[in-house]
Amino acid sequence: MVQPTAVKNEMEGDVYHPSAEVVSEAYIQDYDKMYQRSMDDPEDFWADLAGELDWYKKWDQVLDDSNPPFYKWFVGGKTNIIQNALDRHVKTYRKNKLALVWEGEPGDVRTFSYFALNREVCKFANLLRSMGVEKGDIVTIYLPRIPEQVIAMLACAKIGAPHSVVYGGFSVEALAERIEDAESRVLITADGGWLRGKIVKLKDIADEAMARQPTIESCIVIKRTGQEIYMEAGRDYWYDELMGLPISNSQSETVQMDAEDPLFILYTSGTTGRPKGVVHTHGGYMVYTYSTLKCVFDIKDEDRWWCAADPGWITGHSYIVYGPLLNGATSFMYEGAPTHPYPNRWWKMIENYGITILYTAPTAIRGLMRFGDAWANRHDLSSLRLLGSVGEPINPEAWRWYYQVVGKERSPIMDTWWQTETGGFMITPLPITPLKPGSATKPFFGIDVEVVDEEGEVVPPGEEGYLVVKKPWPGMLRTIYRDPERYQQQYWEKFKTKYQTGDSARRDKDGYLWIIGRMDDVIKVSGYRLGTAEVESALVSHPAVAEAAAIGLPHDIKGNAIHAYVILRSGYEQSEKLGDELRQHVGHEIGPIAKPEQVGFVESLPKTRSGKIMRRLLRARALGEPEGDISTLED
Ligand code: WTA
């Protein structure tokens, strides 16, 4: 099943060249030469980049590919991502450099130098230790976009406890099933977070989730919004009170980890069933996020980098938290909605903080574009030197608006294609790359991609096919947590030695790659990744619903929107009210982003003879498109 996109063939003629100024400042000057080197001797190439970072002990072997697809990187090496994200900076002039500048939605501001961030991380790490968290324990973090979200992640990493961050926009069942799969004993949450002037009551949601998954023994609660909340004696503790205890001194040892030890688990939607826990490591992920950010966004000491994602998704893990800190950069982070209280909020902050690089998603661009140019034009955006896009294909109209109105035709757009599983950018321009709006351009160094047909044969230029990766890379996922078979089956079964991305793509005659969209039952809604299965299981958990199907249909701002079809149990009558109740129910179980746009009541669902719902057919019918091959359809 191929998701639609606005990127059309006719755009391919349209090329934008970076200015001489941008090119002269770029860290990488010759893409072809460096790419060739990375293909000729990948191990040597990656060893060089890894060598730019500190290690307690250097690796014995760069890549162990003796047991594919279970690849290992920097085998025998000892490090901890914190060694390079914090420890090494506080020993240099960067000690006094800003690591994080944060603005809350109500307008409150907090800043952390590398020294201050390290101190908070040390204190939090000691606190976790005092609560009995040990190397290997998985800590679940469910927070709004506040500095403590970053601090908590880093503290876990420091003591070798993999974190599992659950996006603050998720709700009860999404949180509960992630806690369950990770068997977390400690949960870090907050009383609430600010969004569009309202409080998102995270602790209430966490309470319900903990009631469903009683593995949580201790819950650390950060005070953000200050309203009255329920605190369970012996389980729930205020962070501020714990931090005031004498245990929380600011010295804390960074635990030496094997390069292949897990750094975190991040749950993401797959083709079937429940979200899968993607596992990333201290060594390879560190090298990969460090080098991709450095080469693609040309991070320099004087930059003010703003990745406007949420730390709860991979984009935030790699490019709010780890990548920028590994590069010793200054990051900006904002808590709330882009349009609160007015649609100039982002532009005002760019001006105010002198942001030099903005990295965001097409859906955000489209959402802001709809308010017209005046909001952006009212602000001085001349500090911007590079722009970035991620999460879904960017339609040329949004690309041009971003380029002209936000970047004033000075800042090239780095359209980065990658996935939770890949750890970092995979297909992306560099500042020196001539751009074609809507194309993520070319593979990053060391990344060997191909567009193939059903049999794994390379398709001719211009033809659509499966996007695959032919060589392992340091940032790749190592497995699915507690489910190595699923790892193998999901990514490596169809094309054997090639990693299957789940996306379809096209390569044009110039070698530029055009991502078309997901070929499986993953839907990208506003750039967020959801599975049809999750939405369907939330729907059938409602007493009125016997069966449900969810599909993605094109949406002007969100890219895709979820549409659901349900068969009611006997005794229930279809009504607008019930439709609305079902939408709310999905919102309560998974989160507001998963709420279907529409719930349709049907008598039956198209299925194959083996009983699988034919979502492709539902989509074709909804869009009035040809139904294609329906030979497998049950009567
Ligand atoms: C899609 C987000 C087109 C793609 C980092 C991929 C994109 C999925 C782009 C992964 C892009 C991401 N152009 N499509 N620049 N970036 N995608 O795991 O379908 O949330 O497979 O990771 O997003 O989503 P995920």
Side-chain angles (χ1 to χ4, degrees):
M1 183 172 76
V2 175
Q3 305 271 338
T5 163
V7 180
K8 297 269 162 48
N9 282 330
E10 69 262 25
M11 298 320 311
E12 288 176 14
D14 211 1
V15 180
Y16 289 72
H17 290 271
S19 69
E21 197 187 337
V22 168
V23 171
S24 70
E25 284 177 359
Y27 172 63
I28 305 290
Q29 289 289 329
D30 190 340
Y31 168 82
D32 291 331
K33 197 168 140 209
M34 189 131 155
Y35 185 75
Q36 197 52 48
R37 200 199 135 207
S38 75
M39 286 294 114
D40 293 344
D41 195 345
E43 294 190 31
D44 190 55
F45 176 82
W46 288 117
D48 272 0
L49 282 165
E52 293 181 13
L53 296 164
D54 289 348
W55 297 76
Y56 299 118
K57 176 182 169 284
K58 281 256 163 89
W59 53 92
D60 306 316
Q61 196 185 359
V62 177
L63 169 66
D64 173 358
D65 55 2
S66 58
N67 181 28
F70 298 93
Y71 297 98
K72 292 182 182 159
W73 285 87
F74 307 108
V75 185
K78 288 224 177 271
T79 185
N80 181 313
I81 202 163
I82 299 301
Q83 181 190 11
N84 285 294
L86 293 172
D87 298 353
R88 84 159 169 173
H89 301 312
V90 293
K91 291 183 214 142
T92 70
Y93 70 94
R94 284 197 181 127
K95 175 179 177 180
N96 295 320
K97 182 183 170 175
L98 287 177
L100 185 64
V101 177
W102 173 89
E103 187 170 302
E105 196 184 75
D108 45 338
V109 176
R110 291 166 72 191
T111 55
F112 297 81
S113 63
Y114 273 88
F115 175 80
L117 184 62
N118 184 53
R119 178 190 62 220
E120 295 308 304
V121 170
C122 286
K123 282 168 55 175
F124 208 147
N126 287 343
L127 176 72
L128 291 172
R129 278 196 180 106
S130 74
M131 296 183 95
V133 179
E134 287 173 6
K135 182 175 168 181
D137 291 345
I138 300 168
V139 174
T140 299
I141 300 175
Y142 178 61
L143 286 173
R145 222 179 291 159
I146 55 176
E148 283 75 11
Q149 198 181 22
V150 177
I151 294 166
M153 289 166 72
L154 298 169
C156 289
K158 189 174 174 82
I159 64 172
H163 49 72
S164 162
V165 180
V166 181
Y167 168 54
F170 274 136
S171 194
V172 181
E173 185 54 27
L175 176 59
E177 67 185 6
R178 284 161 175 77
I179 291 174
E180 184 202 8
D181 192 73
E183 294 175 330
S184 275
R185 289 184 298 117
V186 175
L187 173 69
I188 303 169
T189 189
D191 53 353
W194 289 104
L195 192 67
R196 287 182 209 95
K198 294 203 187 88
I199 294 174
V200 181
K201 294 183 177 159
L202 292 181
K203 180 60 166 55
D204 290 1
I205 296 170
D207 284 336
E208 258 193 77
M210 286 189 280
R212 288 188 200 179
Q213 284 315 328
T215 58
I216 300 293
E217 291 162 13
S218 311
C219 175
I220 302 173
V221 187
I222 290 150
K223 189 171 275 172
R224 166 66 185 134
T225 44
Q227 82 284 12
E228 193 78 32
I229 55 164
Y230 169 74
M231 292 289 280
E232 188 170 298
R235 186 194 69 184
D236 302 347
Y237 305 92
W238 286 106
Y239 175 69
D240 285 346
E241 288 175 14
L242 294 172
M243 286 296 245
L245 296 174
I247 43 160
S248 308
N249 65 27
S250 55
Q251 293 295 321
S252 176
E253 199 196 328
T254 304
V255 175
Q256 298 197 6
M257 306 294 284
D258 286 333
E260 281 291 303
D261 278 337
L263 167 63
F264 65 82
I265 294 172
L266 185 57
Y267 288 87
T268 192
S269 304
T271 305
T272 51
R274 325 179 65 185
K276 44 194 184 180
V278 166
V279 178
H280 284 288
T281 59
H282 275 265
Y285 176 83
M286 171 174 83
V287 172
Y288 202 67
T289 50
Y290 164 75
S291 22
T292 45
L293 186 60
K294 177 175 170 175
C295 299
V296 175
F297 283 100
D298 239 336
I299 290 282
K300 300 194 168 67
D301 246 342
E302 54 276 26
D303 272 317
R304 291 193 153 201
W305 159 258
W306 182 14
C307 167
D310 191 285
W313 297 85
I314 192 67
T315 309
H317 277 57
S318 299
Y319 300 114
I320 294 177
V321 183
Y322 293 111
L325 293 175
L326 290 167
N327 279 283
T330 300
S331 266
F332 174 69
M333 185 172 160
Y334 166 60
E335 178 184 30
T339 51
H340 188 84
Y342 301 108
N344 68 330
R345 181 66 185 260
W346 271 25
W347 318 128
K348 189 174 156 197
M349 293 189 300
I350 288 172
E351 177 172 16
N352 214 17
Y353 296 101
I355 303 299
T356 56
I357 314 174
L358 173 65
Y359 183 47
T360 184
T363 187
I365 301 299
R366 290 191 295 262
L368 290 164
M369 184 171 106
R370 119 188 104 133
F371 292 101
D373 303 0
W375 293 100
N377 288 341
R378 201 172 289 176
H379 294 275
D380 176 7
L381 306 181
S382 61
S383 57
L384 289 172
R385 64 177 189 89
L386 288 174
L387 301 172
S389 175
V390 60
E392 55 179 318
I394 181 163
N395 49 308
E397 196 195 354
W399 195 99
R400 283 207 188 80
W401 189 81
Y402 196 22
Y403 186 75
Q404 285 159 359
V405 178
V406 182
K408 313 290 182 216
E409 303 188 5
R410 279 183 293 101
S411 312
I413 300 172
M414 303 298 109
D415 179 357
T416 60
W417 175 87
W418 58 295
Q419 310 178 298
T420 306
E421 293 87 342
T422 69
F425 312 145
M426 297 289 279
I427 301 176
T428 173
L430 301 175
I432 55 167
T433 310
L435 303 173
K436 301 184 186 185
S439 167
T441 75
K442 299 202 174 172
F444 187 70
F445 307 122
I447 304 303
D448 193 5
V449 297
E450 206 63 85
V451 180
V452 301
D453 64 16
E454 202 66 41
E455 275 72 52
E457 297 298 323
V458 178
V459 303
E463 265 178 44
E464 187 179 328
Y466 297 88
L467 180 67
V468 297
V469 187
K470 295 196 297 186
K471 278 190 181 58
W473 66 101
M476 67 192 298
L477 79 163
R478 296 301 190 269
T479 188
I480 299 293
Y481 184 60
R482 298 204 311 192
D483 203 349
E485 272 128 65
R486 193 163 168 202
Y487 165 69
Q488 200 147 15
Q489 177 260 323
Q490 187 108 58
Y491 304 106
W492 302 95
E493 201 168 81
K494 192 170 172 75
F495 299 114
K496 306 301 173 211
T497 57
K498 304 179 185 102
Y499 166 86
Q500 183 192 358
T501 65
D503 279 351
S504 62
R506 217 158 14 86
R507 205 195 271 265
D508 71 17
K509 57 183 187 340
D510 302 325
Y512 276 51
L513 288 145
W514 298 75
I515 309 297
I516 295 160
R518 299 291 308 190
M519 297 179 96
D520 52 13
D521 292 320
V522 169
I523 310 177
K524 296 289 288 202
V525 182
S526 302
Y528 296 125
R529 180 163 159 181
L530 292 166
T532 52
E534 293 157 79
V535 179
E536 289 161 5
S537 89
L539 283 166
V540 296
S541 73
H542 188 281
V545 179
E547 268 191 85
I551 57 170
L553 294 178
H555 184 280
D556 281 350
I557 307 279
K558 299 178 186 173
N560 295 289
I562 294 174
H563 289 247
Y565 299 88
V566 297
I567 303 176
L568 293 179
R569 284 181 194 283
S570 60
Y572 287 90
E573 292 276 322
Q574 69 175 67
S575 68
E576 209 173 296
K577 187 162 159 278
L578 181 58
D580 209 48
E581 190 180 315
L582 294 176
R583 293 180 59 248
Q584 299 307 331
H585 178 71
V586 175
H588 180 76
E589 293 296 302
I590 308 178
I593 46 165
K595 265 192 210 169
E597 206 73 2
Q598 245 183 350
V599 177
F601 298 96
V602 292
E603 295 293 322
S604 68
L605 288 166
K607 285 190 188 156
T608 62
R609 275 183 282 271
S610 58
K612 282 202 196 112
I613 296 170
M614 293 180 78
R615 296 189 189 83
R616 177 182 62 80
L617 193 59
L618 282 171
R619 273 173 47 81
R621 283 181 185 166
L623 295 170
E625 287 173 355
E627 298 195 347
D629 178 11
I630 51 167
S631 58
T632 56
L633 186 67
E634 185 195 49
D635 296 341

